[in-house]
């Protein structure tokens, strides 16, 4: 089963985190709906030319987060959580907002100045 996941050996992040991020991104984008079967740990490890242990760690972490479920003898599947894609998108947004707040703090911006910048960013038309 082709996963469509790509691991970069030059990325500073651990490979298991890259896998987790890409699985979450696929779910958030709607590419992988609830109930979709994921590649087996062995198949994904072979396809990405990485250790089975690395893939297993990513799957275990995703399972502990409730993103995927594993059924003994059947495989791993995208969890059937009602609004999982939305929750993942909101977590991603929270991460970006936390990063923006940290940068604003470094720049000495007040919360009001940061909020004003956010309002300006929201008002900009989306690129086509």
């Amino acid at each position: 089963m082709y996963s469509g996941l790509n691991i970069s050996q030059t990325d500073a992040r651990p490979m298991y985190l890259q896998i987790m991020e890409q699985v979450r991104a696929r779910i958030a984008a709607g590419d992988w709906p609830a109930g979709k079967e994921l590649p087996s740990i062995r198949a994904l490890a072979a396809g990405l030319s990485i250790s089975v242990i690395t893939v297993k760690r990513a799957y275990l972490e995703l399972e502990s987060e409730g993103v995927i479920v594993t059924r003994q003898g059947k495989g791993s599947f995208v969890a059937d959580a009602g609004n999982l894609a939305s929750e993942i998108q909101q977590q991603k947004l929270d991460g970006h907002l936390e990063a923006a707040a940290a940068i604003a703090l470094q720049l000495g911006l007040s919360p009001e100045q940061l909020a004003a910048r956010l309002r300006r960013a929201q008002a900009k038309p989306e690129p086509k």
Side-chain angles (χ1 to χ4, degrees):
M1 175 188 295
Y2 177 69
S3 68
L5 303 180
N6 296 301
I7 300 300
S8 172
Q9 300 289 340
T10 59
D11 192 323
R13 294 170 301 150
M15 287 184 255
Y16 81 94
L17 289 178
Q18 292 179 53
I19 294 169
M20 291 174 63
E21 181 179 286
Q22 289 182 42
V23 169
R24 282 192 213 105
R26 284 301 197 55
I27 294 168
D31 295 340
W32 290 5
K36 176 179 174 44
E37 184 176 4
L38 277 66
S40 73
I41 291 172
R42 290 186 191 282
L44 186 56
L48 297 174
S49 300
I50 61 174
S51 166
V52 169
I53 295 168
T54 300
V55 178
K56 184 172 182 156
R57 179 169 181 189
Y59 277 27
L60 286 172
E61 296 271 342
L62 288 167
E63 189 169 17
S64 72
E65 292 175 3
V67 175
I68 67 172
V69 294
T70 301
R71 298 186 189 113
Q72 191 66 34
K74 303 251 187 220
S76 297
F77 303 84
V78 174
D80 190 19
N83 57 352
L84 182 60
S86 176
E87 287 177 27
I88 291 172
Q89 288 287 61
Q90 289 192 34
Q91 288 173 356
K92 187 175 178 181
L93 174 61
D94 288 343
H96 288 297
L97 291 173
E98 288 167 8
I103 293 169
L105 185 64
Q106 289 173 346
L107 293 173
L109 297 178
S110 69
E112 294 77 20
Q113 290 170 313
L114 177 60
R117 285 183 171 219
L118 178 58
R119 284 191 292 278
R120 280 198 308 269
Q122 274 189 311
K124 287 184 182 179
E126 289 192 28
K128 294 181 180 180

